[in-house]
Structure formats: structure tokens, C-alpha cells
Amino acid sequence: MKTNNTLSKLNVQRIAVFILAAVFSSLAFRAQAQAIFYNDGGTLYTNKNSILYVAGDVKNKNTSTIQNDGVIEISGDLTNDNTATFATGTDNTSTERAVKFIGTGIQAIIGDMTDSTSRYFYNLIIDKQTSASAVQMQSDVVV
């Protein structure tokens, strides 16, 4: 009896290890799949004193809205359609309202950021670690 009971415990432990390995493998795969923050018709609001970190590109498409009273950190490119809104929120007490480009290599600002009421940056921060890193403004930008 002790031998069978011991074998059963070993089998249960092996199954548990297999299940944990499968779960962690799927979590790692899902984390890698989040390379683009894609807003297509939604509204995103960042509160004062908040940080939204995007490990990849931000695409604000069509009639989408991003209102920023906090800090948005981007490690990829930012694309804003000419029909999308990218502006500050309604909390006039916020002094942050920053978009911070923190990626390595070349990043880009793509699309329309030229309307001082609905498509603009309040605070634009370029935080690069090397001189080989840069942010290309592929259109005019209002700050």
C-alpha cells in the first residue's frame, strides 16, 4: 500500500508541475502579444498622478479619444488619425499631462497632431538613453 500511495502522490505532483508549466507558458505568450495599444472608437482617460505604460505602439484611430491628465509612456510609435482626439482631460489642476517617449532606437509621431483644441501634446518628453535614439515627427506637432 505504501508503494501505490507514494506512486499516486508522485503522479499528482507531476501533473501539478505540468499544469503550472502550461499556465506560465500561456501567460508569457499573452504578454508578448500586447505590442500595440489600438484604440478604434473608444475613449481612454488617464487621471492626474497616473501612469499608462505602453510597451509598443499607440494607434488612436477613427473617432477615438485619448484624454491625458497623467503620464503616458510609450516605447514604440504614436499614430493619431486626423479624426481622432488626443488632448488633455478636464482636470485643470493636473500639471503632468505628459506624453513620454522612452523606447530605444527610432520612434515616430505619425498622423495629425496640429489642432490646438483636439490633437496636441501638453507636455512632450523625449527621454532617450543614447544619441542613436530619436523621435521622428512625421508631421507638424502642436505642443
Side-chain angles (χ1 to χ4, degrees):
M1 286 293 223
K2 285 185 179 179
T3 305
N4 286 340
N5 194 15
T6 302
L7 289 175
S8 295
K9 286 181 183 177
L10 286 175
N11 286 335
V12 169
Q13 288 175 345
R14 287 182 185 158
I15 292 170
V17 168
F18 176 75
I19 291 171
L20 286 174
V23 168
F24 285 119
S25 295
S26 69
L27 289 176
F29 176 73
R30 287 183 187 165
Q32 293 173 355
Q34 300 297 323
I36 297 176
F37 177 82
Y38 193 85
N39 186 15
D40 190 0
T43 298
L44 171 74
Y45 175 71
T46 57
N47 291 322
K48 175 182 173 181
N49 299 322
S50 68
I51 297 175
L52 171 64
Y53 172 75
V54 180
D57 298 342
V58 172
K59 295 189 182 283
N60 199 34
K61 307 299 275 180
N62 298 316
T63 58
S64 301
T65 299
I66 295 177
Q67 293 180 321
N68 182 25
D69 282 331
V71 176
I72 300 174
E73 294 183 344
I74 304 170
S75 68
D77 298 338
L78 170 67
T79 302
N80 193 69
D81 281 359
N82 65 352
T83 54
T85 299
F86 194 105
T88 59
T90 57
D91 187 348
N92 294 328
T93 66
S94 175
T95 57
E96 298 167 318
R97 297 174 161 179
V99 176
K100 188 175 182 180
F101 286 87
I102 59 170
T104 58
I106 304 297
Q107 291 177 265
I109 299 171
I110 303 163
D112 191 353
M113 295 297 289
T114 60
D115 184 330
S116 62
T117 59
S118 63
R119 289 181 298 281
Y120 63 93
F121 296 109
Y122 186 82
N123 286 321
L124 178 61
I125 301 169
I126 311 297
D127 188 8
K128 298 298 194 169
Q129 301 300 315
T130 67
S131 59
S133 297
V135 174
Q136 296 176 342
M137 296 180 188
Q138 297 185 1
S139 66
D140 292 337
V141 173
V142 173
V143 179

